[in-house]
Amino acid sequence: MQLDLRTSPPWPFLQALALGQRTATTRLARRAVERVTRGLAALAGAPRCVACGATLEWAESAFCGGCVAPSPPILREASGLWVLAGGRFEAPLREAIHRLKYSGQAEVVGGLATWWLSQLGDALQGTTIPHANSSRIAFDLVPIPLHPTRLVERGYNQSALLAAKLAPRLAVRVRHQLKREKSTRPQAGLGRAERQQNIQAAFRAAPGRESPPAILVDDVATTGATLAAAAAALRAQGVQCLGAVVLATSGE
């Protein structure tokens, strides 16, 4: 995908991601990642499709031949925040995310992270970013937290798992700076106004005026209400939010 960003360019967001990925994918780093990937694959057995669980022919793949994710990466503005999604929230990506969130299959997060990074490469290919050779923009990945009750029910936070997988591939840290203080209804099935009301005052950020800018990490973005609420909580503590990365988006 070639992005035409001349009219409303999210340069700091894209530049941070591009230079972070470039830093992390030096030859030595790439070899180290490959060794770790092969070792984990050997321990886990045959690699499986993240959507249907079928055996994969290539360990580097995430989706099998019957579940190849058809959607290109999507860069969109949602509730005043730049969001880069791996693809649309539709089959087979939707099934993979449902396995991660609702079926207790946390092991699919590794394949989804690898796939998302390849989508990032596609999104940046052919896109000229001003001053792309300048110093890196320091940032941390900040996952969207679950309420403690939901965390106990699920056993893990899928956004935190995804951030942990992406961080070394972007040469950045994960910073757990947000807390979810309000137990909200699931956003799925709510309208735009209901989503905004549901998520209002749900997050609190720890003080961080000396912290580097943040890029939020979540699984799905629709209206962007959750991401916007989290970004507002960060800004209230003096933390700049460059944007958000998600696996999928169901919004336009």
Side-chain angles (χ1 to χ4, degrees):
M1 178 184 70
Q2 187 167 354
L3 303 172
D4 184 2
L5 306 173
R6 292 170 292 181
T7 55
S8 183
W11 300 131
F13 177 45
L14 287 180
Q15 183 175 341
L17 290 172
L19 294 177
Q21 187 184 46
R22 182 183 303 173
T23 300
T25 53
T26 61
R27 181 174 300 178
L28 290 176
R30 189 182 302 114
R31 287 177 179 173
V33 169
E34 288 172 352
R35 285 196 297 270
V36 171
T37 300
R38 286 195 297 268
L40 291 177
L43 290 173
R48 301 282 180 176
C49 173
V50 296
C52 72
T55 301
L56 293 174
E57 183 176 357
W58 303 103
E60 293 78 10
S61 303
F63 295 90
C64 67
C67 293
V68 174
S71 172
I74 299 168
L75 177 70
R76 59 178 288 238
E77 185 273 335
S79 298
L81 196 68
W82 282 107
V83 178
L84 182 61
R88 293 197 179 280
F89 189 60
E90 57 190 21
L93 179 56
R94 179 182 60 239
E95 282 66 31
I97 294 174
H98 282 176
R99 289 182 70 194
L100 174 62
K101 290 182 68 172
Y102 306 124
S103 299
Q105 299 182 50
E107 66 274 8
V108 304
V109 74
L112 284 169
T114 299
W115 168 81
W116 189 91
L117 286 161
S118 70
Q119 295 292 88
L120 169 62
D122 290 345
L124 296 174
Q125 186 175 7
T127 301
T128 302
I129 301 176
H131 314 300
N133 294 321
S134 62
S135 300
R136 284 190 61 210
I137 298 176
F139 69 93
D140 290 339
L141 294 178
V142 177
I144 296 295
L146 293 177
H147 187 269
T149 302
R150 186 73 55 81
L151 181 60
V152 170
E153 292 174 353
R154 186 165 296 167
Y156 56 84
N157 176 4
Q158 70 279 356
S159 298
L161 293 181
L162 180 61
K165 291 291 184 180
L166 293 177
R169 303 291 292 273
L170 294 172
V172 298
R173 302 178 308 169
V174 177
R175 190 168 83 239
H176 297 279
Q177 192 168 5
L178 289 168
K179 291 185 177 181
R180 198 157 190 155
E181 296 194 313
K182 176 182 174 183
S183 181
T184 59
R185 290 186 293 161
Q187 293 282 73
L190 300 180
R192 178 179 292 272
E194 291 175 309
R195 286 171 181 262
Q196 292 176 341
Q197 183 177 6
N198 184 47
I199 206 69
Q200 186 175 6
F203 301 107
R204 179 172 62 85
R209 295 191 182 277
E210 301 301 323
S211 301
I215 289 182
L216 295 169
V217 181
D218 206 1
D219 48 14
V220 180
T222 303
T223 64
T226 298
L227 295 171
L234 289 171
R235 287 194 294 268
Q237 294 295 339
V239 179
Q240 180 186 8
C241 184
L242 298 176
V245 296
V246 299
L247 290 170
T249 179
S250 58
E252 296 297 332

